[in-house]
């Protein structure tokens, strides 16, 4: 398609902003009213009454499980938590300086080598793949964390729930029940959020009818970019840079004067406070009350107060990432694991979209607007000039 053809009809929307590309019944967002629902159930109810695993079941299979269904599902997840020793050995060869998101993407893709049967029209296959991914991804994240420190990975513990087991595998200590509950709610809050970049990537990959491990690996790669999964890490860097409560006002004034973005604030969809941030703020307060306030928390409280005072007229409020970084840090989690933890949670949403895509599949094949040459002359090698922007690769 050429520019002239576009002028004659189609509209070009960079980044597909606002362009509907699928029908979906998985989640609903109303950015003006601050509403987020999974399968129609408000996020507040799920955070208060459900668990991450029950929510994952709801997202993937479309309804809340009965007691028997949930027990069976939890049992299957426990059974599949361990990873094959060959995957562990492969991960041991990863450089310890590598980013945990790259390690996760490679290990998720490697699962496809071991579970290569592809029976996308068999509900038992769909279920087994979903269970394996939900069960093994936390184990792989924790294993890489220990191995890059030179330690052996810790085996999962069958007597611990999903989130408590992950924190145990990561820290080698059974977590406090409040810490495990808060972490589990964080997973619930991040599990799904309509058609963001990684979910779109999952759907595009799914539409080729490849295996679910490739679907998740491609979504992990997309989530890894700083414009998507990395904001909570940057919130902590910002707080560190600010250094003290007294510096907050000056820092904000400076950002506003320089028109630079304050990390953890603002949202493309929410023009009121992100409903997930409201839930996380309350949990963070509970957590810090039990385990002790620190400078980070005090700076964060002041930050939110000053940003609201100065920017709420533009619809800029704290988003989910503002609090999740603070919570994870308080739980002793290193900041480069924040995005892998986002992936542990979002795999539930990706799998729900994978299943939905398969149910009504049409391969994604958008179009482009061609802006290059036509009928260009082939220049012989000896007559060519070197391109000026050809930098050395190091
Ligand atoms: N700090 C200061 N000003 C801001 C901010 C911010 N964080 N966000 C938006 N603005 C201002 C922006 O400068 C612009 O002002 P003006 O109209 O005077 O030029 C106005 O608000 C609209 O900004 P925009 O960039 O058009 O808004 P957007 O919808 O494109 O951006 C955003 C959304 C999330 C990319 C942006 O708010 C941002 O970069 N925030 C910081 C990074 C961050 O916290 N990201 C995590 C988002 S939540 C993740 C999730 O839901 O998964």
């Amino acid at each position: 398609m050429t520019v002239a053809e576009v002028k004659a009809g189609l509209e070009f929307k960079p980044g597909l902003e606002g362009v509907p590309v699928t029908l979906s019944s998985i989640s609903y967002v109303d950015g003006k009213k601050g509403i987020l629902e999974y399968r129609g159930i408000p996020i507040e109810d799920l955070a208060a009454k459900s668990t991450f695993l029950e929510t994952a079941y709801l997202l993937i299979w479309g309804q809340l499980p009965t007691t028997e269904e949930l027990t069976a599902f939890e049992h299957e997840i426990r059974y599949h938590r361990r990873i094959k020793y060959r995957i562990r050995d492969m991960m041991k060869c990863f450089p310890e300086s590598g980013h945990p998101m790259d390690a996760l993407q490679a290990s998720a893709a490697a699962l496809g080598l071991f579970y290569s049967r592809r029976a996308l029209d068999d509900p038992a296959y769909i279920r087994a793949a979903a269970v394996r991914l939900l069960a093994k991804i936390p184990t792989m994240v924790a294993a890489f964390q220990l191995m890059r420190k030179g330690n052996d990975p810790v085996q999962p513990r069958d007597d611990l729930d999903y989130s408590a087991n992950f924190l145990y595998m990561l820290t080698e200590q059974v977590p406090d029940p409040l810490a495990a509950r808060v972490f589990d709610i964080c997973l619930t809050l991040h599990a799904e959020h309509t058609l963001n970049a990684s979910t779109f990537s999952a759907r595009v990959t799914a539409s080729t009818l490849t295996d679910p491990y490739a679907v998740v690996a491609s979504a992990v790669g997309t989530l890894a970019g700083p414009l998507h999964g990395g904001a909570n890490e940057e919130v902590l860097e910002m707080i560190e840079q600010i250094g003290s409560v007294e510096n907050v006002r000056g820092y904000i004034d400076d950002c506003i004067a320089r028109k630079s973005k304050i990390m953890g604030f603002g949202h493309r969809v929410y023009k009121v406070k992100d409903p997930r941030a409201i839930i996380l703020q309350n949990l963070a307060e509970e957590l810090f009350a039990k385990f002790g306030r620190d400078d980070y928390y005090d700076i964060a409280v002041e930050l939110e107060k000053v940003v609201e005072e100065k920017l709420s007229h533009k619809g800029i409020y704290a988003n989910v990432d503002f609090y999740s970084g603070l919570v994870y840090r308080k739980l002793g989690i290193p900041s480069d694991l924040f995005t892998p933890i986002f992936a542990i949670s979002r795999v539930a949403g990706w799998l729900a979209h994978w299943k939905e895509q398969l149910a009504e599949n049409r391969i994604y094949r958008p179009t482009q607007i061609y802006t290059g040459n036509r009928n260009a002359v082939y220049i012989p090698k000896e007559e060519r000039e070197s391109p000026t922007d050809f930098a050395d690769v190091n």
Side-chain angles (χ1 to χ4, degrees), residues 182-197:
V182 169
F183 185 81
D184 198 67
I185 296 172
C186 286
L187 295 187
T188 298
L189 297 179
H190 286 86
E192 160 66 8
H193 208 243
T194 71
L195 215 61
N196 50 81

Side-chain angles (χ1 to χ4, degrees), residues 27 29 36 38 191-196 267 269-270 276 346:
S27 63
V29 174
L36 170 61
Y38 294 168
E192 160 66 8
H193 208 243
T194 71
L195 215 61
N196 50 81
H267 200 279
V269 181
Y270 296 115
R276 301 166 298 173
R346 189 54 64 88

Side-chain angles (χ1 to χ4, degrees), residues 101 190-202 218-234 263-264 266-268 276 319-322 324 338-340 342-343 346-347 350:
M101 278 303 268
H190 286 86
E192 160 66 8
H193 208 243
T194 71
L195 215 61
N196 50 81
S198 60
T199 302
F200 182 47
S201 168
S218 94
V220 170
T222 311
L223 183 69
L227 292 188
H228 191 3
N232 51 12
E233 221 175 307
E234 293 192 34
M263 287 299 121
H267 200 279
R268 174 61 56 82
R276 301 166 298 173
N319 60 46
V320 67
D321 286 321
F322 184 64
S324 58
F338 295 175
T339 316
F342 192 161
R346 189 54 64 88
V347 77
W350 295 331

Side-chain angles (χ1 to χ4, degrees), residues 193 231 259-268 271 276 311 314 316 319 321 342:
H193 208 243
K259 286 189 172 297
S260 77
K261 296 268 167 69
I262 303 153
M263 287 299 121
F265 291 88
H267 200 279
R268 174 61 56 82
K271 296 305 163 200
R276 301 166 298 173
L311 292 174
K314 284 191 184 177
I316 293 164
N319 60 46
D321 286 321
F342 192 161

Side-chain angles (χ1 to χ4, degrees), residues 6 10 16 51 94-95 169 248 267 271 292 302 311 316 345 386:
V6 170
L10 288 178
L16 289 178
T51 61
F94 293 169
M169 290 190 297
V248 168
H267 200 279
K271 296 305 163 200
E302 180 70 4
L311 292 174
I316 293 164
S345 157
S386 290

